[in-house]
Amino acid sequence: MARQPELGVCYYPEHWPEVMWEQDAADMVKAGITHVRVGEFAWSRFEPEPGTYDFEWLASAINTLGDAGLKLILGTPTATPPKWLIDKMPDMLPISREGRTRGFGSRRHYCFSHMGYRRECARITRAMAERFGDHPAVVAWQTDNEYGCHNTTHSYTPAAKSNFQTWLEARYETIGALNEAWGNVFWSMEYLSFEEIELPNQAVTETNPAHRWDYRRFASDEVKAFNKVQTDILRELSPGRDLVHNFMTFVTEYDHFSVSEELDVASWDSYPIGSLDVMPFVRENKEHFVRTGDPDIQAYHHDLYRACGRGRFWIMEQQPGPVNWAPYNPDPLPGMQRLWGWEAFAHGAELVSYFRWRQAPFAQEQFHAGLNRPDGVPDRALHEVTQLGTELKTLGDIEAATQADVAIVYSYDSHWALLNQPQGQNFSYIVQTLAIYRALREKGLNVDFVSPDAPLDGYKLVVLPSQIHVRDEMAMRLTNFDGDLIVLPRTGSRTVSHEIPANLAPGPLSELLGIKVTRAESFREFAAVEVDYRSKIYTFDRWREYVEGDAEAVAHTTDGHPAITRKKNAYYIAGWPDEALLRDFLDVRVAAAGLSILDLPFGVRTRTRGNFRVFVNYNPQRVSIADCVSGELVLGSLDLAGADVAIERLA
Ligand code: GAL
């Protein structure tokens, strides 16, 4: 469905005197903003004392904003339980892996498993929904704020332990079955009852990876259950409103596909410059893109969360200037608000909302920019957002994002297994999926992420990153898939309970791929293994496998073993390909699949949506996109300035 992309902003009426609200609302509207998110941290003002609610100030704020024509996204305040609640129920505080209580004084000080806290969340959510659920200006609800932020998905409280035992009992039914599944005969780890099972955080050395895998799955399910308490109430009392939660950059401790099942829209908080500074794996990009952000990380999350939201996603918080929380916090280049906005819309975003309307002069985020300075003067970001709003209006409605030709399967469960048992320190699922994504995007392709449960119909090329456990049903789907299938190492290397499959890796895919993995090794870069692919020498730079079987070898290691194999349409890469090998191999497969690619300049990315192709220049310097554009430019120029955007109307 074609629609006009929209702009939003995060606003904290409780931070500003009421006399300012009306002018703020008018200024938002003037800037082209249509949505405003409020409320998500205001519990101490909603319920100043236990049981005494005060929603009048919020009602007045909602009316003021609504009267100005703004649509409200109401946040439930459960990321910031007030002090009186903690004092009443101190055991709701989370406990760190080391066993330390994480106390009051910032936010997210709760354990997902604490049933008393879930009841308190239900109570405050119900009170809010009863008061505002049918308010005509309220169009959406955000549950809580950034699940998992500040490392909070995993908590080692007695409540978590007891819920974990219940979860395990539901899964295995008998303790004998659990002992068998986990292989607890090893090191005499056998249990007599579920009540004996501890959380896997306090042992002398490495705990059983099967134990940790189940703990991670359990913890993910707890986030889902916690969220559902609120969405059930909101569905009942505020029908017709979109339910949404704001996800984050590379926060992967819970399965976002699963949590999104209870939501209408997946949204996420995009802080490109802060993320670039804290991400260890983009070292080589840190300097060149220091004020623009990594050219693929934003898009990666747009595509991932669009999949989680079953096609619907928003940016709930967009970085407006320097942030406060990274070790270093550079100022984005002029133009980046507009660029990030356009990029999100190109990937299908319905809404891009900025954090925050005005920089706060007090408390933790004093150094965090807003659209306005603390003295109320519009900051650079507000001018850029206003420009973006004007451009959006000129282009009018845009078709929703449609299915791409290429898909990458994204599995949180596999990511967790690799965190538990990397075997080589740098074998990271995130690094791997980002490398694949980057290589495809550099060719100008639209890329979809899909969940391991998603149908693959219609794709011409599917890449399966290390899918540690392959369910039989997934094996069937992959076998029936008739496009090119590219499978990365370690796929099918464990059963659901973390055993090596009886027929060895790739387990249920051995027939499809025509191989058996007989040995695997990891190594540091200096021990890289040379690979000959089409008479050019590359490397496996951290991982290699020895495979045997009836598949044909399309690349060899220079010491004489199959490096990439092929059986019909299914390829297996028996090692971790260096960047050049991954890129060149994918180039060949993409060409063979008949996909049209673009020769994009370094640092430039593109995506099509409807009949528009958007180009974004992540470089600080000017580049020419003349070789990439064949249609009419409706925005920008072929000589694209640093941090600038061009849009082509496709025939
Ligand atoms: C987000 C959070 C916001 C604010 C922002 C600062 O993670 O949701 O409340 O703290 O970061 O960048």
Side-chain angles (χ1 to χ4, degrees):
M1 195 190 42
R3 65 196 288 166
Q4 170 83 56
E6 295 188 282
L7 299 172
V9 73
C10 305
Y11 186 54
Y12 300 90
E14 69 275 24
H15 295 180
W16 311 103
E18 185 159 353
V19 290
M20 291 173 77
W21 300 350
E22 196 177 327
Q23 189 59 49
D24 282 345
D27 291 343
M28 290 174 194
V29 172
K30 200 168 119 212
I33 287 168
T34 55
H35 286 64
V36 51
R37 182 192 67 178
V38 299
E40 83 278 11
F41 297 126
W43 197 330
S44 71
R45 291 294 171 96
F46 293 152
E47 193 180 9
E49 286 174 47
T52 311
Y53 297 117
D54 178 4
F55 289 125
E56 289 324 299
W57 67 270
L58 183 64
S60 162
I62 292 178
N63 290 336
T64 305
L65 295 159
D67 288 348
L70 292 158
K71 301 175 208 168
L72 273 292
I73 303 165
L74 272 195
T76 65
T78 52
T80 49
K83 182 68 164 68
W84 57 256
L85 181 52
I86 307 301
D87 289 344
K88 228 168 84 178
M89 219 163 47
D91 63 348
M92 64 169 276
L93 289 171
I95 293 183
S96 74
R97 195 185 162 75
E98 296 72 36
R100 188 177 54 83
T101 298
R102 306 180 71 187
F104 181 85
S106 59
R107 60 179 172 184
R108 300 213 53 74
H109 36 276
Y110 68 82
C111 171
F112 281 102
S113 297
H114 194 280
M115 301 315 251
Y117 187 54
R118 285 195 199 170
R119 282 190 290 277
E120 288 295 302
C121 292
R123 187 176 60 75
I124 192 73
T125 301
R126 180 168 291 279
M128 278 184 86
E130 276 168 353
R131 184 72 170 76
F132 300 112
D134 58 5
H135 195 294
V138 173
V139 297
W141 291 84
Q142 175 188 299
T143 53
D144 202 280
N145 190 76
E146 292 191 339
Y147 292 139
C149 184
H150 316 307
N151 260 325
T152 49
T153 305
H154 294 159
S155 160
Y156 300 88
T157 59
K161 182 163 119 177
S162 143
N163 285 10
F164 182 44
Q165 292 167 349
T166 309
W167 186 92
L168 288 170
E169 190 159 1
R171 188 174 175 91
Y172 293 99
E173 291 176 9
T174 69
I175 196 66
L178 177 140
N179 283 327
E180 176 70 26
W182 286 9
N184 282 340
V185 60
F186 194 79
W187 288 354
S188 275
M189 291 182 294
E190 284 162 308
Y191 299 105
L192 295 175
S193 72
F194 287 99
E195 291 72 59
E196 286 183 358
I197 301 177
E198 309 271 354
L199 297 170
N201 64 320
Q202 294 285 20
V204 171
T205 183
E206 187 188 349
T207 47
N208 188 337
H211 185 170
R212 273 176 292 149
W213 209 8
D214 274 349
Y215 170 70
R216 284 182 176 277
R217 291 165 173 158
F218 152 77
S220 176
D221 284 356
E222 290 290 87
V223 175
K224 182 175 188 172
F226 181 92
N227 184 61
K228 192 168 183 308
V229 168
Q230 300 189 21
T231 54
D232 282 350
I233 293 167
L234 296 169
R235 291 242 182 262
E236 173 200 332
L237 296 176
S238 192
R241 273 69 175 182
D242 283 327
L243 302 188
V244 49
H245 177 76
N246 52 339
F247 298 141
M248 298 180 71
T249 311
F250 296 126
V251 166
T252 48
E253 279 77 30
Y254 61 92
D255 186 326
H256 292 52
F257 288 109
S258 170
V259 171
S260 298
E261 285 168 9
E262 312 298 336
L263 303 170
D264 299 300
V265 186
S267 80
W268 76 285
D269 298 345
S270 172
Y271 291 93
I273 307 282
S275 304
L276 182 69
D277 197 75
V278 297
M279 293 303 156
F281 45 82
V282 286
R283 207 172 307 128
E284 64 284 3
N285 280 349
K286 282 188 200 275
E287 198 177 325
H288 187 72
F289 298 113
V290 57
R291 291 194 172 77
T292 56
D294 181 278
D296 295 303
I297 288 183
Q298 286 62 252
Y300 174 105
H301 289 87
H302 297 327
D303 289 339
L304 176 59
Y305 295 142
R306 191 183 61 248
C308 292
R310 301 171 299 281
R312 295 193 63 196
F313 88 98
W314 302 349
I315 300 299
M316 192 64 92
E317 301 180 10
Q318 176 64 62
Q319 171 169 3
V323 298
N324 62 299
W325 43 261
Y328 300 92
N329 297 289
D331 193 10
L333 279 189
M336 287 314 291
Q337 278 2 288
R338 183 176 157 257
L339 183 151
W340 292 324
W342 268 120
E343 186 178 40
F345 292 129
H347 285 260
E350 297 173 358
L351 173 76
V352 173
S353 162
Y354 293 81
F355 183 90
R356 48 185 276 158
W357 175 245
R358 191 184 294 106
Q359 185 172 346
F362 44 75
Q364 277 91 328
E365 295 180 346
Q366 292 168 352
F367 264 116
H368 198 296
L371 297 186
N372 293 278
R373 298 189 324 213
D375 64 358
V377 174
D379 211 339
R380 191 206 295 147
L382 187 61
H383 299 299
E384 291 185 21
V385 170
T386 309
Q387 184 187 349
L388 176 59
T390 312
E391 291 170 355
L392 287 171
K393 285 217 186 74
T394 325
L395 288 194
D397 292 353
I398 309 181
E399 292 297 326
T402 46
Q403 181 170 323
D405 291 325
V406 180
I408 302 172
V409 179
Y410 195 95
S411 157
Y412 287 91
D413 198 56
S414 301
H415 171 48
W416 302 332
L418 288 167
L419 287 173
N420 284 342
Q421 200 178 59
Q423 178 66 358
Q425 206 170 266
N426 57 2
F427 200 114
S428 149
Y429 190 79
I430 289 185
V431 172
Q432 188 189 65
T433 50
L434 182 62
I436 297 163
Y437 183 77
R438 211 190 272 296
L440 293 167
R441 283 250 301 158
E442 282 171 352
K443 303 178 213 315
L445 294 165
N446 284 5
V447 180
D448 286 350
F449 281 108
V450 296
S451 101
D453 303 320
L456 302 172
D457 311 314
Y459 287 110
K460 297 198 169 118
L461 179 72
V462 167
V463 184
L464 183 64
S466 302
Q467 175 72 30
I468 301 304
H469 165 60
V470 177
R471 292 189 299 118
D472 290 345
E473 188 274 327
M474 183 184 202
M476 284 271 285
R477 237 178 318 122
L478 292 167
T479 306
N480 293 335
F481 175 62
D482 54 10
D484 258 19
L485 174 68
I486 297 170
V487 178
L488 277 286
R490 300 181 76 161
T491 292
S493 60
R494 294 292 180 272
T495 66
V496 67
S497 57
H498 214 278
E499 253 192 80
I500 295 173
N503 65 343
L504 304 185
L509 296 187
S510 57
E511 183 54 36
L512 170 68
L513 294 166
I515 53 155
K516 181 193 284 284
V517 179
T518 57
R519 178 184 286 263
E521 63 162 348
S522 64
F523 36 80
R524 294 179 196 269
E525 212 182 317
F526 58 71
V529 174
E530 284 185 348
V531 174
D532 181 341
Y533 174 59
R534 301 184 141 211
S535 307
K536 214 174 139 190
I537 301 301
Y538 306 85
T539 62
F540 284 157
D541 64 11
R542 62 196 75 180
W543 182 269
R544 75 107 66 128
E545 291 172 355
Y546 294 85
V547 302
E548 53 188 48
D550 59 7
E552 152 204 7
V554 298
H556 283 94
T557 59
T558 55
D559 62 4
H561 297 276
I564 304 177
T565 64
R566 167 190 181 185
K567 184 174 170 185
K568 294 189 198 135
N569 62 331
Y571 293 80
Y572 186 77
I573 308 182
W576 185 295
D578 63 24
E579 242 179 74
L581 177 55
L582 180 66
R583 199 185 306 121
D584 290 353
F585 175 66
L586 286 175
D587 267 350
V588 172
R589 296 316 333 143
V590 162
L595 306 177
S596 61
I597 61 171
L598 287 178
D599 191 15
L600 292 169
F602 175 84
V604 172
R605 296 292 188 268
T606 183
R607 197 180 194 284
T608 59
R609 174 174 168 188
N611 58 340
F612 293 109
R613 177 183 282 285
V614 177
F615 292 91
V616 290
N617 181 12
Y618 269 89
N619 293 297
Q621 82 281 5
R622 207 167 262 286
V623 294
S624 168
I625 53 166
D627 291 345
C628 307
V629 178
S630 45
E632 171 213 358
L633 280 189
V634 292
L635 189 85
S637 73
L638 294 178
D639 183 27
L640 199 55
D644 205 354
V645 178
I647 303 182
E648 171 188 9
R649 194 190 302 276
L650 300 170

